[in-house]
Amino acid sequence: MAESRSLPTGFGELEVLAVGTVLMVEALSGLSLNSLTILSFCKNPELRTPIHLLVLSLALADSGISLNALIAATSSLLRVSHRHWPYGSDGCQAHGFQGFTTALASICSSAAIAWGRYHHYCTRSRLAWNTAVSLVLFVWLSSAFWAALPLLGWGHYDYEPLGTCCTLDYSRRDRNFTSFLFTMAFFNFVLPLFITLTSYQLMEQKLGKTGHPQVNTTLPARTLMLCWGPYALLYLYAAVMDVASISPKLQMVPALIAKMAPTINAVNYALGSEMVQRGIWQCLSPQRSERDHAQ
């Protein structure tokens, strides 16, 4: 089990505060935008469709990532005065499990949306409710399964270099870590990225002559590679080389980049959709939306 650590070497109090501030901004931004997205689904009946159920799943996963970042930000600010992780070893394991579950669910939900959009735009049949529900259940059950394995002994959760959040321990370059890493990464990063890239490429080829779909076909895959690629590269490096050769400050960069995913996804999937925008507007101005509906 992880033990509480004092402020690690290589980090001053100002640096810890700076990381905590960045995490707080990312957390509040992601929570605000994705909460509006979730509320818009509850408010606007037009959004209650199978394809938008997949977007709702992504918003829930990204809200979980932002909540995880909020806990990390609070821990960073408390760590300056308390000098240690404030939630104990069990809290570290719970924080790692929750963060890993929602991160995997976010990645796989993006792939599910890509496949759902391809099905919607490039086939003659609409996405059925039972298919969408099955996809959402599979995404969350699979994510929880992979996130639970480190709690059962395959892999291990421990503190990140700053000691203010917990994730998969990549400092152990042993067979247990490498076998879990490569298996997990294939099913939860490489395969979803392949599905996302392939689905949008097929959409471009299919609809190139008839017009472009009302969705961004390049940003989703770029977001996956930008936000989660640095983590993947760090884990890959740790599996084959001594990660201690990378400075602790540089090791924190992938975590900060990954916490940007909820905001980027909300802008792409929610604010980039006119229908979701109408739902968000109804949440922000319910009286006007009622007058418009009456008219």
Side-chain angles (χ1 to χ4, degrees):
M1 300 289 288
E3 297 179 355
S4 297
R5 294 178 178 175
S6 59
L7 197 65
T9 58
F11 289 95
E13 291 187 358
L14 289 178
E15 291 168 321
V16 174
L17 287 174
V19 171
T21 301
V22 172
L23 286 170
M24 183 67 72
V25 171
E26 291 177 326
L28 295 179
S29 174
L31 279 174
S32 300
L33 292 176
N34 284 285
S35 295
L36 282 175
T37 302
I38 295 170
L39 288 175
S40 70
F41 281 92
C42 301
K43 189 72 174 179
N44 189 351
E46 295 180 356
L47 294 176
R48 296 167 194 166
T49 63
I51 189 63
H52 285 108
L53 178 65
L54 303 179
V55 179
L56 176 61
S57 174
L58 177 63
L60 290 171
D62 285 341
S63 295
I65 295 176
S66 297
L67 179 61
N68 188 271
L70 182 62
I71 295 173
T74 304
S75 173
S76 298
L77 301 178
L78 291 175
R79 196 171 178 79
V80 175
S81 57
H82 289 77
R83 313 292 293 184
H84 62 81
W85 166 261
Y87 307 114
S89 59
D90 291 339
C92 177
Q93 299 301 303
H95 186 254
F97 172 77
Q98 187 269 343
F100 211 47
T101 299
T102 51
L104 297 182
S106 176
I107 295 171
C108 294
S109 291
S110 296
I113 293 172
W115 180 86
R117 285 177 168 178
Y118 166 77
H119 188 277
H120 176 78
Y121 286 105
C122 300
T123 65
R124 296 182 179 180
S125 59
R126 291 182 175 273
L127 185 65
W129 271 107
N130 59 348
T131 303
V133 171
S134 298
L135 278 174
V136 171
L137 289 176
F138 175 79
V139 163
W140 283 95
L141 291 176
S142 174
S143 300
F145 168 77
W146 286 101
L149 290 177
L151 300 177
L152 302 176
W154 196 20
H156 179 72
Y157 290 125
D158 203 352
Y159 303 101
E160 289 190 339
L162 186 58
T164 58
C165 52
C166 295
T167 187
L168 184 66
D169 182 12
Y170 51 83
S171 64
R172 302 185 177 192
R173 192 157 51 97
D174 54 16
R175 182 175 298 179
N176 180 282
F177 166 72
T178 55
S179 62
F180 175 75
L181 172 66
F182 286 113
T183 307
M184 180 276 300
F186 175 78
F187 287 105
N188 295 281
F189 182 70
V190 176
L191 189 58
L193 181 60
F194 174 77
I195 293 173
T196 303
L197 285 169
T198 303
S199 296
Y200 286 119
Q201 286 177 355
L202 291 175
M203 286 175 58
E204 287 284 357
Q205 295 174 6
K206 182 77 173 180
L207 302 175
K209 297 180 180 180
T210 59
H212 294 285
Q214 299 300 314
V215 295
N216 192 318
T217 58
T218 58
L219 185 58
R222 291 178 180 177
T223 300
L224 286 179
M225 290 187 287
L226 171 66
C227 294
W228 301 107
Y231 247 142
L233 291 176
L234 177 62
Y235 284 157
L236 178 61
Y237 184 89
V240 298
M241 302 291 290
D242 184 8
V243 75
S245 61
I246 302 177
S247 68
K249 296 176 184 178
L250 190 58
Q251 291 181 43
M252 283 300 301
V253 172
L256 297 177
I257 293 176
K259 300 300 189 296
M260 295 167 51
T263 299
I264 297 175
N265 285 336
V267 171
N268 179 32
Y269 293 102
L271 300 182
S273 169
E274 293 183 3
M275 190 176 295
V276 179
Q277 288 177 13
R278 288 199 299 270
I280 293 176
W281 180 247
Q282 289 180 9
C283 295
L284 297 177
S285 55
Q287 294 181 349
R288 179 172 178 177
S289 63
E290 289 177 2
R291 290 197 302 267
D292 294 341
H293 180 72
Q295 293 176 356

